[in-house]
Amino acid sequence: MNRALVVRQPGGPEAMQWEEWPLAAPGEGQIAVRQTAVGVNFIDTYQRSGLYPVPTPFVAGNEGAGVVTAVGAGVTMFKPGDRVAYQGQVGAYAQERLLVAERVVAIPEGVSEETAAAVMLKGLTAYYLLFKTWAVQPGETILWHAAAGGVGQIATQWAKALGARVIATVGSAEKAALAEQNGCDAVINYNTEDFAARVRELTGGKGVDVVYDGVGKATFDKSLDCLRQRGLMVSFGNASGVVAIPDVTVLSRKGSLYLTRPTTAHYVSRREDLLEGAGALFSAIARGDIKVSISQTFPLAEAAKAHEALASRGTTGSILLLP
């Protein structure tokens, strides 16, 4: 019998209950997958807590990898035995699950299922941020907050491969060492330094071209002070709390700045965009531009411990659940 972590009422990590979860045969356009690795992401915690509402009951999680066990009517792109990965389909914290085939990609040779599960959501996030939201060019300077996190480690390595100058922020000396190992040009501990003042110093008073901020409330205001005139503020997460802007004229006062709050779903909504992004991601891994860090693994049934670790903001790299 298939088992999964089911949320019947939003709440803390304990809201996820390890239960039997019947698996139907795949319908038209669907595939059934036996999962071998599941990624853990902040969006999982937001959905579990009710910050991002999901109709209950639901199985938590949004990213994983595994092996196709059956295909539904009309599915020609996959067959049983294929290794596949996905992101953006709620229901990942399960031993087996159904997926919409159009939203799944094949895992190329040379990439493990664990690696694929660790990078699909985080890697596609890095992809759209660096290539679509702001197409990073050689010689540009970017600021990346939480550079030692799952998205941060992938994105800063990728940005360096694109020829950007990367200024990073982290929350500890240990995380600073990781960011430096990943090639960041300058690393700022925002718990011990005024990161806005330091960024101005590092850029000769000019400011950076773009700020990528997945931290949210704790870093947003000072991030605006890090930008050059007409620079772009990309607020793509809220690990420290949701951002609110009571006075939009702050953008004009600080240099006619641009602000966007993007999400992966709007950048890979078409299959061709999903395949383009996944192809770029797996190619970057194959070239060695991105070295994937899996810092912790937990048994699938112990997902609550993984959520507690993520919420502590003391983690680095990717966290996996192993069914």
Side-chain angles (χ1 to χ4, degrees):
M1 175 64 72
N2 182 47
R3 295 183 72 88
L5 284 151
V6 182
V7 178
R8 298 194 176 277
Q9 291 294 332
E14 71 285 351
M16 298 182 294
Q17 296 295 309
W18 186 237
E19 300 180 10
E20 292 186 355
W21 190 257
L23 186 73
E28 184 169 358
Q30 291 184 320
I31 59 175
V33 173
R34 174 180 55 80
Q35 302 205 107
T36 53
V38 174
V40 178
N41 298 278
F42 273 106
I43 190 173
D44 306 349
T45 70
Y46 303 154
Q47 291 169 342
R48 183 214 71 224
S49 70
L51 179 63
Y52 292 179
V54 177
T56 54
F58 69 93
V59 175
N62 293 269
E63 170 187 54
V67 178
V68 176
T69 58
V71 300
V75 176
T76 58
M77 63 191 73
F78 299 112
K79 65 183 185 304
D82 286 347
R83 299 188 313 136
V84 296
Y86 66 93
Q87 64 81 38
Q89 296 193 55
V90 177
Y93 292 5
Q95 294 170 323
E96 298 182 72
R97 68 165 305 182
L98 299 179
L99 291 162
V100 177
E102 287 282 338
R103 306 305 303 162
V104 175
V105 301
I107 302 173
E109 290 186 15
V111 176
S112 71
E113 288 150 41
E114 290 80 6
T115 294
V119 301
M120 276 299 291
L121 194 153
K122 301 171 192 68
L124 286 176
T125 299
Y127 165 76
Y128 84 75
L129 290 171
L130 296 173
F131 288 84
K132 302 297 182 178
T133 304
W134 177 283
V136 172
Q137 301 299 312
E140 290 183 333
T141 301
I142 73 170
L143 173 63
W144 198 287
H145 287 304
V151 177
Q153 288 201 45
I154 295 169
T156 53
Q157 292 180 78
W158 211 344
K160 284 300 300 178
L162 293 172
R165 180 190 183 197
V166 179
I167 301 174
T169 71
V170 295
S172 70
E174 293 78 13
K175 290 183 176 182
L178 277 175
E180 290 168 356
Q181 290 171 16
N182 287 330
C184 294
D185 296 283
V187 182
I188 305 165
N189 184 334
Y190 47 55
N191 287 323
T192 60
E193 292 186 79
D194 181 334
F195 71 81
R198 181 66 175 137
V199 166
R200 286 291 172 182
E201 180 183 342
L202 289 166
T203 58
K206 178 183 177 182
V208 300
D209 295 289
V210 56
V211 173
Y212 292 104
D213 186 5
V215 176
K217 186 176 181 179
T219 50
F220 181 83
D221 290 342
K222 280 194 172 183
S223 291
L224 299 180
D225 293 327
C226 296
L227 285 162
R228 64 163 171 81
Q229 287 186 5
R230 294 187 292 161
L232 175 65
M233 177 70 198
V234 184
S235 177
F236 68 94
N238 34 257
S240 67
V242 177
V243 171
I245 309 178
D247 180 7
V248 74
T249 63
V250 67
L251 300 175
S252 63
R253 295 197 305 272
K254 292 183 181 292
S256 296
L257 305 178
Y258 294 90
L259 168 65
T260 185
R261 187 25 170 118
T263 184
T264 310
H266 296 145
Y267 281 86
V268 294
S269 58
R270 301 181 305 169
R271 180 160 179 78
E272 52 264 44
D273 296 326
L274 173 63
L275 293 177
E276 178 186 316
L281 174 62
F282 289 134
S283 293
I285 293 171
R287 288 193 304 270
D289 292 345
I290 299 170
K291 294 178 175 61
V292 179
S293 168
I294 299 172
S295 61
Q296 292 177 278
T297 62
F298 296 84
L300 177 59
E302 297 179 10
K305 293 181 180 179
H307 278 215
E308 290 166 358
L310 193 64
S312 74
R313 292 178 59 194
T315 60
T316 61
S318 297
I319 299 175
L320 288 185
L321 303 176
L322 302 179

